[in-house]
Amino acid sequence: MWFLFAFAGAFFKSFSSFFRKKISKNVSASVFMWISYSLFLIALAPFVIIAHTPIYALLSEHLLVMIGATVPLLLATYFNLEALKREDLSYIAPLNAFVPLFTLIIAWLFLNEAPPLIGIVGICIIIVGAYIMNLSAQKSVHWYTPLVHIFKNTGARFSLAVALSYAINSVFMKSASNAGYSSIAIIFGISVISWLILAYVPFRSHRQVMKALQPVNFGGVISASVSSLFGSLANILAIAGTYTSYALSVRRFDMVISVLLGWKFLREGNIRYRLAGSALMTVGVIVLVIFK
């Protein structure tokens, strides 16, 4: 059963990225996040109340940890929308493979957790996948040109910033989880802090808010938010039913699904390279996460 929940998490995450791509040029990141977290609070409040979830204890006793989890997540969302403004979904989504890679590097630098040999293999597979995905990005002058393109392309650089932000967020999320709090409590706590940080949005970005609420944009905002929430909840259910590494590995299939969505519905090109590269990066993530 956990596999179905994990795959559902990948499915919903892919569609969240798909709808973000569709609204990225019309809706500002701050407005999108304010609306999203408002919806999160409304949707999760009944579950928090019924389960008597200790939100106050979480926010008061672990405030710095929760802020540490929230700020990188807000930055990741902002960078993601900026990346999607500039590049195809089928190119941006696979770069999420760098999230576990950056997490591994952070753990190595700050927790002295050196990766085993199999972890190095996973990292190499991810890099090879990124290389293949960039083969069609521009004409190769040198063998390393496709990899250099990642650091020259603005959308790709934003995506690397997304991966780094998510990696930092995961470290603080793990810290909050180790303190004994449920995933729903952590998500709700992050939503509360995010909403407070973004409370200025409806006052200082009134025109942007009204633009986001227009039917042509609001449907995409709602769809992206709901897909993200369902993806998070499905991921929680998957983790509850198996090892975290297994659930996260299956969820990384969102990279392949996003490439197919971009090709099928957004008419994005270079599908062969991007599909092959994202599939290989998915394999690398699975190796890295399960055997680390």
Side-chain angles (χ1 to χ4, degrees), residues 208-245:
Q208 281 289 332
V209 172
M210 296 306 296
K211 186 177 181 180
L213 294 178
Q214 293 175 359
V216 66
N217 296 320
F218 190 58
V221 172
I222 294 295
S223 298
S225 301
V226 171
S227 297
S228 180
L229 179 59
F230 281 165
S232 298
L233 293 176
N235 187 49
I236 293 169
L237 293 172
I239 291 173
T242 187
Y243 295 110
T244 302
S245 58

Side-chain angles (χ1 to χ4, degrees), residues 1-291:
M1 193 66 175
W2 69 266
F3 181 87
L4 296 178
F5 285 128
F7 192 79
F11 179 83
F12 284 119
K13 189 176 187 302
S14 301
F15 270 89
S16 177
S17 298
F18 170 75
F19 287 115
R20 286 185 186 188
K21 172 62 179 177
K22 296 192 71 173
I23 65 170
S24 60
K25 293 184 178 180
N26 299 317
V27 179
S28 70
S30 60
V31 170
F32 170 74
M33 289 188 289
W34 178 73
I35 294 175
S36 293
Y37 285 113
S38 297
L39 293 174
F40 280 19
L41 291 174
I42 293 171
L44 293 177
F47 299 97
V48 169
I49 294 171
I50 292 173
H52 301 288
T53 307
I55 299 299
Y56 177 77
L58 173 62
L59 294 179
S60 60
E61 297 175 10
H62 305 278
L63 181 60
L64 292 179
V65 172
M66 292 303 295
I67 292 176
T70 302
V71 173
L73 188 58
L74 292 175
L75 289 174
T77 305
Y78 172 79
F79 291 140
N80 180 240
L81 286 168
E82 290 298 317
L84 289 170
K85 284 181 184 179
R86 294 164 170 79
E87 269 289 353
D88 292 343
L89 170 65
S90 58
Y91 179 72
I92 294 300
L95 296 178
N96 284 332
F98 285 95
V99 174
L101 191 154
F102 285 145
T103 303
L104 193 68
I105 293 174
I106 291 172
W108 174 51
L109 292 176
F110 296 99
L111 302 177
N112 199 30
E113 295 181 0
L117 179 60
I118 192 68
I120 302 297
V121 172
I123 292 173
C124 292
I125 294 174
I126 291 173
I127 293 174
V128 171
Y131 181 87
I132 292 173
M133 196 175 66
N134 280 276
L135 280 176
S136 60
Q138 62 183 63
K139 293 182 179 179
S140 296
V141 179
H142 303 287
W143 67 268
Y144 53 80
T145 301
L147 284 179
V148 172
H149 178 262
I150 295 179
F151 300 97
K152 287 187 175 181
N153 181 281
T154 303
R157 290 202 300 267
F158 273 120
S159 293
L160 293 178
V162 171
L164 180 59
S165 298
Y166 274 135
I168 296 172
N169 163 262
S170 67
V171 172
F172 283 101
M173 290 268 284
K174 181 64 174 177
S175 178
S177 178
N178 288 342
Y181 292 94
S182 68
S183 298
I184 290 181
I186 295 170
I187 293 174
F188 191 85
I190 288 175
S191 299
V192 170
I193 297 174
S194 298
W195 194 87
L196 291 174
I197 292 175
L198 297 167
Y200 73 92
V201 170
F203 303 101
R204 297 190 60 180
S205 306
H206 181 69
R207 291 183 179 179
Q208 281 289 332
V209 172
M210 296 306 296
K211 186 177 181 180
L213 294 178
Q214 293 175 359
V216 66
N217 296 320
F218 190 58
V221 172
I222 294 295
S223 298
S225 301
V226 171
S227 297
S228 180
L229 179 59
F230 281 165
S232 298
L233 293 176
N235 187 49
I236 293 169
L237 293 172
I239 291 173
T242 187
Y243 295 110
T244 302
S245 58
Y246 291 177
L248 293 180
S249 296
V250 174
R251 197 184 186 199
R252 286 283 69 86
F253 280 102
D254 70 289
M255 296 186 292
V256 176
I257 299 173
S258 293
V259 171
L260 293 175
L261 287 174
W263 167 68
K264 181 67 176 178
F265 297 105
L266 301 177
R267 300 185 182 279
E268 297 175 351
N270 302 323
I271 182 62
R272 288 183 299 171
Y273 289 105
R274 292 177 178 179
L275 187 59
S278 63
L280 195 59
M281 293 171 84
T282 301
V283 172
V285 171
I286 292 174
V287 171
L288 184 61
V289 173
I290 291 183
F291 299 104

